[in-house]
Amino acid sequence: METKQMKSHLPEVLDHIIENLKGQRLADVFRFISFVPGETYGPHHHVRIEMNYVKKGTCMIHLDKETINFHEGEIMIICSNVEHTFEAGSKGATLMQLEFLPEIFTSIDSTMKLSSTGLGQASVNLFSEQNHLIKIVNNVRIMRAIQRILDELSSKKTYFQHLVVMYYAELLILITRYMDENILPVCNNYAMKRAITFIRSHYKEDISVSIIAEEAGIGERHLRNLFVKYLDLSPLEYLNQIRINKAVELLRNTEKSVKEVCFECGFKSPQYFSRIFKQQMNVSPHKLVK
């Protein structure tokens, strides 16, 4: 009797999503797995969306024309039908893995009517073969959403399906927000994409406009013109935006000091960091210290 009463109070939208997914698993892979140094897997591809959080060590994902490195605390999202090879780093790697069919996000989109807000269509483009691989750095909330999905799928406690669907919806929104804030969602310019990818992957380092332009394969003037055209920002302004976004994440979710966050995010001096932070956030970084 108690179970029936509880079920009658469960949100209908969650019941509807679960019913639509009937016969499909909420995840095909959900586990922690360790790889020995240099261990490889692939090349292979699959319809599933693959998410890996690097819990320990380093690893590489080899695609057709590029190799992306991942370090502890970073997240990779490999989209459907992208051929890739995994390679563990020199000290091995431990991953938190989650793989599921794209239909799960599609079902959430349609049932919750996220497309009316623009999120639904964004997710269709976001998790497409064209994006190949998404790298997420220093985002504790996304990591925790993945962790909660794994925990519920492993424990299978009462109503775990409902919680998993809720966490998938949270994951979809958090990833879409991250991409909106950190990378240009719609841009077909190859040089611009290379520049943005390089900045997002190397923002901790001492990089300059000339280095970014070289990595993008174009001149500095052309690079500046592209950033103004697509983002209405200079390359340096975009770099600082990325660094401040990471700084906010660290200040809110770790015990690190303002000085530690300053240098970890690629700034050379706490004074300059505080000035740029206040310009972008309208508050001192000290106000966000956990």
Side-chain angles (χ1 to χ4, degrees):
M1 177 65 70
E2 181 181 356
T3 301
K4 290 182 179 179
Q5 288 177 344
M6 289 179 66
K7 184 171 178 58
S8 66
H9 288 89
L10 288 171
E12 291 183 8
V13 65
L14 297 179
D15 287 331
H16 184 64
I17 293 172
I18 292 170
E19 184 64 27
N20 284 345
L21 293 171
K22 198 170 184 178
Q24 296 184 24
R25 290 180 292 236
L26 286 172
D28 291 288
V29 176
F30 51 98
R31 63 183 179 180
F32 284 90
I33 184 170
S34 294
F35 297 88
V36 299
E39 183 176 354
T40 61
Y41 184 77
H44 69 291
H45 67 275
H46 40 69
V47 177
R48 303 186 301 272
I49 295 174
E50 178 180 346
M51 297 187 181
N52 295 315
Y53 170 75
V54 184
K55 186 173 177 63
K56 186 178 180 181
T58 62
C59 59
M60 292 169 281
I61 296 294
H62 302 288
L63 302 177
D64 182 31
K65 295 181 180 179
E66 61 181 330
T67 294
I68 297 94
N69 295 301
F70 291 87
H71 299 83
E72 186 174 320
E74 297 179 343
I75 299 168
M76 68 186 79
I77 303 176
I78 305 171
C79 299
S80 299
N81 300 313
V82 174
E83 185 163 294
H84 59 282
T85 299
F86 170 87
E87 181 181 352
S90 60
K91 296 184 179 180
T94 299
L95 306 181
M96 179 170 70
Q97 292 188 324
L98 175 64
E99 297 182 17
F100 55 92
L101 291 174
E103 284 78 3
I104 291 178
F105 277 166
T106 303
S107 182
I108 291 172
D109 278 347
S110 59
T111 306
M112 299 181 70
K113 295 181 172 57
L114 295 177
S115 56
S116 63
T117 67
L119 179 57
Q121 185 58 43
S123 68
V124 171
N125 296 328
L126 187 62
F127 301 104
S128 67
E129 187 178 348
Q130 291 181 344
N131 267 330
H132 297 297
L133 185 146
I134 299 168
K135 181 174 182 177
I136 296 177
V137 181
N138 290 334
N139 196 298
V140 176
R141 293 187 67 185
I142 292 177
M143 180 275 290
R144 287 175 179 167
I146 296 173
Q147 174 74 74
R148 285 193 287 266
I149 292 172
L150 264 67
D151 290 344
E152 289 297 327
L153 289 172
S154 298
S155 65
K156 288 184 169 57
K157 294 181 180 178
T158 309
Y159 304 119
F160 77 94
Q161 300 101 324
H162 296 79
L163 282 174
V164 168
V165 169
M166 289 174 62
Y167 295 148
Y168 270 127
E170 177 188 19
L171 187 58
L172 173 60
I173 292 168
L174 288 174
I175 293 171
T176 304
R177 175 194 287 175
Y178 179 90
M179 296 299 286
D180 283 345
E181 292 175 348
N182 293 280
I183 191 168
L184 194 61
V186 181
C187 175
N188 294 322
N189 186 283
Y190 181 71
M192 186 67 176
K193 282 186 174 181
R194 282 185 63 87
I196 289 174
T197 300
F198 178 77
I199 290 172
R200 289 176 61 240
S201 301
H202 297 82
Y203 70 91
K204 296 181 181 181
E205 303 169 16
D206 183 17
I207 58 177
S208 63
V209 174
S210 61
I211 292 175
I212 298 169
E214 183 179 349
E215 289 293 329
I218 57 177
E220 291 183 42
R221 183 175 179 181
H222 188 193
L223 179 72
R224 291 190 176 93
N225 289 339
L226 286 176
F227 269 80
V228 171
K229 176 181 177 180
Y230 286 106
L231 294 177
D232 198 25
L233 294 170
S234 71
L236 181 58
E237 287 172 335
Y238 181 75
L239 172 60
N240 282 337
Q241 186 179 87
I242 295 299
R243 286 172 168 170
I244 294 300
N245 287 341
K246 306 307 178 184
V248 170
E249 182 75 22
L250 290 174
L251 290 170
R252 285 176 172 167
N253 296 287
T254 72
E255 302 291 339
K256 296 179 184 292
S257 68
V258 170
K259 188 175 182 179
E260 288 174 320
V261 170
C262 161
F263 293 118
E264 185 167 335
C265 292
F267 290 97
K268 292 183 177 179
S269 78
Q271 294 79 14
Y272 180 67
F273 168 62
S274 294
R275 179 161 62 85
I276 298 300
F277 192 99
K278 196 164 185 178
Q279 283 178 0
Q280 292 195 20
M281 304 301 298
N282 294 317
V283 66
S284 165
H286 294 276
K287 296 287 185 180
L288 296 186
V289 175
K290 189 174 180 181

